[in-house]
mmCIF file of all heavy atoms in Angstrom:
data_model
loop_
_atom_site.group_PDB
_atom_site.id
_atom_site.type_symbol
_atom_site.label_atom_id
_atom_site.label_comp_id
_atom_site.label_asym_id
_atom_site.label_seq_id
_atom_site.Cartn_x
_atom_site.Cartn_y
_atom_site.Cartn_z
ATOM 1 N N PHE A 85 0.836 -1.217 -0.003
ATOM 2 C CA PHE A 85 0.022 0.014 0.000
ATOM 3 C C PHE A 85 0.896 1.276 -0.002
ATOM 4 O O PHE A 85 0.753 2.150 0.847
ATOM 5 C CB PHE A 85 -0.950 0.006 1.192
ATOM 6 C CG PHE A 85 -1.826 -1.208 1.280
ATOM 7 C CD1 PHE A 85 -1.809 -1.946 2.456
ATOM 8 C CD2 PHE A 85 -2.610 -1.557 0.270
ATOM 9 C CE1 PHE A 85 -2.629 -3.091 2.589
ATOM 10 C CE2 PHE A 85 -3.388 -2.753 0.344
ATOM 11 C CZ PHE A 85 -3.416 -3.512 1.489
ATOM 12 N N ASN A 86 1.788 1.304 -1.004
ATOM 13 C CA ASN A 86 2.707 2.451 -1.124
ATOM 14 C C ASN A 86 3.507 2.771 0.148
ATOM 15 O O ASN A 86 3.760 3.868 0.563
ATOM 16 C CB ASN A 86 1.930 3.691 -1.500
ATOM 17 C CG ASN A 86 1.505 3.675 -2.941
ATOM 18 O OD1 ASN A 86 2.228 3.185 -3.845
ATOM 19 N ND2 ASN A 86 0.283 4.151 -3.242
ATOM 20 N N GLY A 87 3.920 1.650 0.783
ATOM 21 C CA GLY A 87 4.795 1.825 1.996
ATOM 22 C C GLY A 87 4.066 2.209 3.255
ATOM 23 O O GLY A 87 4.722 2.503 4.252
ATOM 24 N N MET A 88 2.697 2.142 3.208
ATOM 25 C CA MET A 88 1.951 2.543 4.390
ATOM 26 C C MET A 88 1.758 1.405 5.417
ATOM 27 O O MET A 88 1.487 1.627 6.584
ATOM 28 C CB MET A 88 0.536 3.082 4.035
ATOM 29 C CG MET A 88 0.576 4.284 3.131
ATOM 30 S SD MET A 88 -1.073 4.795 2.574
ATOM 31 C CE MET A 88 -1.684 5.474 4.111
ATOM 32 N N PHE A 89 1.977 0.178 4.994
ATOM 33 C CA PHE A 89 1.723 -1.029 5.761
ATOM 34 C C PHE A 89 2.958 -1.920 5.652
ATOM 35 O O PHE A 89 3.463 -2.179 4.610
ATOM 36 C CB PHE A 89 0.524 -1.771 5.232
ATOM 37 C CG PHE A 89 -0.057 -2.826 6.141
ATOM 38 C CD1 PHE A 89 -1.044 -2.612 7.018
ATOM 39 C CD2 PHE A 89 0.523 -4.110 5.998
ATOM 40 C CE1 PHE A 89 -1.527 -3.603 7.839
ATOM 41 C CE2 PHE A 89 0.026 -5.159 6.827
ATOM 42 C CZ PHE A 89 -1.006 -4.866 7.723
ATOM 43 N N ILE A 90 3.446 -2.377 6.821
ATOM 44 C CA ILE A 90 4.645 -3.201 6.828
ATOM 45 C C ILE A 90 4.403 -4.514 7.446
ATOM 46 O O ILE A 90 3.722 -4.627 8.507
ATOM 47 C CB ILE A 90 5.833 -2.446 7.524
ATOM 48 C CG1 ILE A 90 7.159 -3.286 7.387
ATOM 49 C CG2 ILE A 90 5.521 -2.179 8.983
ATOM 50 C CD1 ILE A 90 8.363 -2.504 7.823
ATOM 51 N N ASN A 91 4.956 -5.587 6.914
ATOM 52 C CA ASN A 91 4.865 -6.910 7.421
ATOM 53 C C ASN A 91 6.280 -7.376 7.814
ATOM 54 O O ASN A 91 7.109 -7.621 6.956
ATOM 55 C CB ASN A 91 4.238 -7.885 6.399
ATOM 56 C CG ASN A 91 4.332 -9.327 6.826
ATOM 57 O OD1 ASN A 91 4.086 -9.646 7.960
ATOM 58 N ND2 ASN A 91 4.743 -10.212 5.956
ATOM 59 N N ASP A 92 6.546 -7.340 9.102
ATOM 60 C CA ASP A 92 7.925 -7.749 9.577
ATOM 61 C C ASP A 92 7.679 -8.674 10.792
ATOM 62 O O ASP A 92 6.611 -8.865 11.328
ATOM 63 C CB ASP A 92 8.770 -6.538 9.849
ATOM 64 C CG ASP A 92 8.163 -5.652 10.924
ATOM 65 O OD1 ASP A 92 7.112 -5.980 11.462
ATOM 66 O OD2 ASP A 92 8.737 -4.579 11.199
ATOM 67 N N LEU A 93 8.825 -9.238 11.228
ATOM 68 C CA LEU A 93 8.750 -10.243 12.333
ATOM 69 C C LEU A 93 8.223 -9.604 13.629
ATOM 70 O O LEU A 93 7.464 -10.219 14.345
ATOM 71 C CB LEU A 93 10.149 -10.844 12.524
ATOM 72 C CG LEU A 93 10.189 -11.990 13.609
ATOM 73 C CD1 LEU A 93 9.195 -13.116 13.259
ATOM 74 C CD2 LEU A 93 11.600 -12.546 13.637
ATOM 75 N N MET A 94 8.637 -8.387 13.932
ATOM 76 C CA MET A 94 8.129 -7.744 15.157
ATOM 77 C C MET A 94 6.652 -7.607 15.104
ATOM 78 O O MET A 94 5.946 -7.934 16.048
ATOM 79 C CB MET A 94 8.773 -6.359 15.322
ATOM 80 C CG MET A 94 8.375 -5.685 16.655
ATOM 81 S SD MET A 94 8.822 -3.909 16.762
ATOM 82 C CE MET A 94 7.468 -3.155 15.865
ATOM 83 N N GLY A 95 6.139 -7.144 13.994
ATOM 84 C CA GLY A 95 4.701 -6.948 13.825
ATOM 85 C C GLY A 95 3.944 -8.275 13.969
ATOM 86 O O GLY A 95 2.894 -8.379 14.567
ATOM 87 N N LEU A 96 4.483 -9.338 13.299
ATOM 88 C CA LEU A 96 3.813 -10.634 13.355
ATOM 89 C C LEU A 96 3.734 -11.155 14.753
ATOM 90 O O LEU A 96 2.640 -11.638 15.206
ATOM 91 C CB LEU A 96 4.577 -11.674 12.457
ATOM 92 C CG LEU A 96 4.406 -11.452 10.906
ATOM 93 C CD1 LEU A 96 5.285 -12.474 10.217
ATOM 94 C CD2 LEU A 96 2.951 -11.604 10.520
ATOM 95 N N LEU A 97 4.835 -11.099 15.514
ATOM 96 C CA LEU A 97 4.822 -11.591 16.879
ATOM 97 C C LEU A 97 3.887 -10.791 17.775
ATOM 98 O O LEU A 97 3.166 -11.379 18.618
ATOM 99 C CB LEU A 97 6.244 -11.591 17.422
ATOM 100 C CG LEU A 97 7.256 -12.550 16.782
ATOM 101 C CD1 LEU A 97 8.640 -12.399 17.391
ATOM 102 C CD2 LEU A 97 6.770 -14.007 16.977
ATOM 103 N N LEU A 98 3.899 -9.520 17.606
ATOM 104 C CA LEU A 98 3.013 -8.652 18.430
ATOM 105 C C LEU A 98 1.542 -8.886 18.123
ATOM 106 O O LEU A 98 0.696 -8.893 19.009
ATOM 107 C CB LEU A 98 3.373 -7.202 18.266
ATOM 108 C CG LEU A 98 4.725 -6.723 18.807
ATOM 109 C CD1 LEU A 98 4.942 -5.254 18.559
ATOM 110 C CD2 LEU A 98 4.834 -7.029 20.312
ATOM 111 N N LYS A 99 1.253 -9.096 16.808
ATOM 112 C CA LYS A 99 -0.128 -9.443 16.457
ATOM 113 C C LYS A 99 -0.576 -10.814 17.032
ATOM 114 O O LYS A 99 -1.702 -10.927 17.549
ATOM 115 C CB LYS A 99 -0.290 -9.512 14.923
ATOM 116 C CG LYS A 99 -0.236 -8.136 14.216
ATOM 117 C CD LYS A 99 -0.389 -8.312 12.758
ATOM 118 C CE LYS A 99 -0.146 -7.050 11.962
ATOM 119 N NZ LYS A 99 -0.274 -7.285 10.474
ATOM 120 N N LEU A 100 0.315 -11.771 16.956
ATOM 121 C CA LEU A 100 -0.028 -13.085 17.499
ATOM 122 C C LEU A 100 -0.276 -12.978 18.992
ATOM 123 O O LEU A 100 -1.251 -13.614 19.549
ATOM 124 C CB LEU A 100 1.077 -14.060 17.251
ATOM 125 C CG LEU A 100 1.313 -14.453 15.778
ATOM 126 C CD1 LEU A 100 2.572 -15.302 15.648
ATOM 127 C CD2 LEU A 100 0.129 -15.206 15.196
ATOM 128 N N ALA A 101 0.531 -12.186 19.706
ATOM 129 C CA ALA A 101 0.384 -12.010 21.165
ATOM 130 C C ALA A 101 -0.953 -11.273 21.451
ATOM 131 O O ALA A 101 -1.646 -11.623 22.439
ATOM 132 C CB ALA A 101 1.532 -11.228 21.745
ATOM 133 N N THR A 102 -1.269 -10.338 20.622
ATOM 134 C CA THR A 102 -2.533 -9.550 20.795
ATOM 135 C C THR A 102 -3.751 -10.489 20.636
ATOM 136 O O THR A 102 -4.712 -10.384 21.427
ATOM 137 C CB THR A 102 -2.592 -8.394 19.744
ATOM 138 O OG1 THR A 102 -1.503 -7.478 19.977
ATOM 139 C CG2 THR A 102 -3.888 -7.625 19.896
ATOM 140 N N LEU A 103 -3.702 -11.313 19.661
ATOM 141 C CA LEU A 103 -4.835 -12.243 19.371
ATOM 142 C C LEU A 103 -5.001 -13.246 20.548
ATOM 143 O O LEU A 103 -6.084 -13.558 20.973
ATOM 144 C CB LEU A 103 -4.640 -12.939 18.091
ATOM 145 C CG LEU A 103 -4.720 -12.005 16.821
ATOM 146 C CD1 LEU A 103 -4.197 -12.701 15.598
ATOM 147 C CD2 LEU A 103 -6.171 -11.616 16.592
ATOM 148 N N ILE A 104 -3.869 -13.768 21.024
ATOM 149 C CA ILE A 104 -3.893 -14.729 22.179
ATOM 150 C C ILE A 104 -4.466 -14.064 23.375
ATOM 151 O O ILE A 104 -5.337 -14.595 24.061
ATOM 152 C CB ILE A 104 -2.440 -15.314 22.456
ATOM 153 C CG1 ILE A 104 -2.009 -16.176 21.299
ATOM 154 C CG2 ILE A 104 -2.469 -16.080 23.741
ATOM 155 C CD1 ILE A 104 -0.556 -16.622 21.421
ATOM 156 N N ALA A 105 -3.941 -12.839 23.659
ATOM 157 C CA ALA A 105 -4.439 -12.107 24.850
ATOM 158 C C ALA A 105 -5.964 -11.840 24.752
ATOM 159 O O ALA A 105 -6.680 -11.977 25.755
ATOM 160 C CB ALA A 105 -3.691 -10.774 24.968
ATOM 161 N N THR A 106 -6.424 -11.467 23.560
ATOM 162 C CA THR A 106 -7.895 -11.167 23.400
ATOM 163 C C THR A 106 -8.726 -12.451 23.536
ATOM 164 O O THR A 106 -9.828 -12.406 24.113
ATOM 165 C CB THR A 106 -8.186 -10.476 22.047
ATOM 166 O OG1 THR A 106 -7.277 -9.377 21.919
ATOM 167 C CG2 THR A 106 -9.541 -10.001 21.982
ATOM 168 N N PHE A 107 -8.230 -13.549 22.966
ATOM 169 C CA PHE A 107 -8.897 -14.819 23.147
ATOM 170 C C PHE A 107 -9.041 -15.169 24.646
ATOM 171 O O PHE A 107 -10.140 -15.627 25.059
ATOM 172 C CB PHE A 107 -8.113 -15.917 22.415
ATOM 173 C CG PHE A 107 -8.782 -17.266 22.385
ATOM 174 C CD1 PHE A 107 -9.614 -17.685 21.353
ATOM 175 C CD2 PHE A 107 -8.569 -18.187 23.453
ATOM 176 C CE1 PHE A 107 -10.231 -18.862 21.391
ATOM 177 C CE2 PHE A 107 -9.192 -19.373 23.468
ATOM 178 C CZ PHE A 107 -10.028 -19.773 22.403
ATOM 179 N N MET A 108 -7.964 -14.959 25.388
ATOM 180 C CA MET A 108 -8.042 -15.228 26.813
ATOM 181 C C MET A 108 -9.001 -14.298 27.556
ATOM 182 O O MET A 108 -9.736 -14.685 28.459
ATOM 183 C CB MET A 108 -6.627 -15.138 27.458
ATOM 184 C CG MET A 108 -5.721 -16.226 26.926
ATOM 185 S SD MET A 108 -3.999 -16.020 27.574
ATOM 186 C CE MET A 108 -4.242 -16.330 29.321
ATOM 187 N N VAL A 109 -9.003 -13.004 27.160
ATOM 188 C CA VAL A 109 -9.919 -12.065 27.723
ATOM 189 C C VAL A 109 -11.359 -12.447 27.572
ATOM 190 O O VAL A 109 -12.158 -12.427 28.531
ATOM 191 C CB VAL A 109 -9.705 -10.647 27.124
ATOM 192 C CG1 VAL A 109 -10.848 -9.706 27.513
ATOM 193 C CG2 VAL A 109 -8.416 -10.016 27.570
ATOM 194 N N LEU A 110 -11.696 -12.835 26.367
ATOM 195 C CA LEU A 110 -13.124 -13.328 26.108
ATOM 196 C C LEU A 110 -13.437 -14.544 26.897
ATOM 197 O O LEU A 110 -14.534 -14.704 27.395
ATOM 198 C CB LEU A 110 -13.355 -13.509 24.622
ATOM 199 C CG LEU A 110 -13.193 -12.283 23.689
ATOM 200 C CD1 LEU A 110 -13.591 -12.653 22.284
ATOM 201 C CD2 LEU A 110 -14.045 -11.111 24.246
ATOM 202 N N ALA A 111 -12.516 -15.499 27.008
ATOM 203 C CA ALA A 111 -12.761 -16.743 27.738
ATOM 204 C C ALA A 111 -12.912 -16.404 29.236
ATOM 205 O O ALA A 111 -13.803 -16.910 29.936
ATOM 206 C CB ALA A 111 -11.587 -17.707 27.530
ATOM 207 N N TYR A 112 -12.028 -15.484 29.763
ATOM 208 C CA TYR A 112 -12.104 -15.125 31.142
ATOM 209 C C TYR A 112 -13.461 -14.439 31.434
ATOM 210 O O TYR A 112 -14.117 -14.617 32.476
ATOM 211 C CB TYR A 112 -11.030 -14.104 31.493
ATOM 212 C CG TYR A 112 -9.764 -14.641 32.048
ATOM 213 C CD1 TYR A 112 -8.557 -14.313 31.476
ATOM 214 C CD2 TYR A 112 -9.734 -15.520 33.109
ATOM 215 C CE1 TYR A 112 -7.348 -14.807 31.950
ATOM 216 C CE2 TYR A 112 -8.570 -16.001 33.609
ATOM 217 C CZ TYR A 112 -7.355 -15.649 33.044
ATOM 218 O OH TYR A 112 -6.216 -16.192 33.504
ATOM 219 N N SER A 113 -13.974 -13.630 30.479
ATOM 220 C CA SER A 113 -15.094 -12.741 30.704
ATOM 221 C C SER A 113 -16.460 -13.380 30.497
ATOM 222 O O SER A 113 -17.453 -12.759 30.901
ATOM 223 C CB SER A 113 -14.979 -11.531 29.789
ATOM 224 O OG SER A 113 -13.735 -10.902 29.943
ATOM 225 N N ARG A 114 -16.555 -14.543 29.936
ATOM 226 C CA ARG A 114 -17.846 -15.068 29.471
ATOM 227 C C ARG A 114 -18.826 -15.184 30.648
ATOM 228 O O ARG A 114 -19.952 -14.643 30.575
ATOM 229 C CB ARG A 114 -17.635 -16.435 28.893
ATOM 230 C CG ARG A 114 -18.970 -17.093 28.361
ATOM 231 C CD ARG A 114 -18.634 -18.418 27.672
ATOM 232 N NE ARG A 114 -19.809 -19.100 27.276
ATOM 233 C CZ ARG A 114 -19.805 -20.276 26.677
ATOM 234 N NH1 ARG A 114 -18.664 -20.876 26.390
ATOM 235 N NH2 ARG A 114 -20.934 -20.892 26.337
#
């Protein structure tokens, strides 16, 4: 997207951690 969006290892790991954390939040909160 003309250099507006980057896919790198830091971003991938942080996204994976964000998704795991949110999955746990919803499970905790049900």
Side-chain angles (χ1 to χ4, degrees):
F85 305 124
N86 286 322
M88 298 176 74
F89 190 95
I90 186 170
N91 171 44
D92 58 5
L93 184 55
M94 183 191 85
L96 288 176
L97 292 177
L98 292 179
K99 286 180 189 177
L100 293 174
T102 299
L103 293 165
I104 292 172
T106 308
F107 185 93
M108 293 176 67
V109 166
L110 296 187
Y112 269 129
S113 304
R114 182 177 175 181

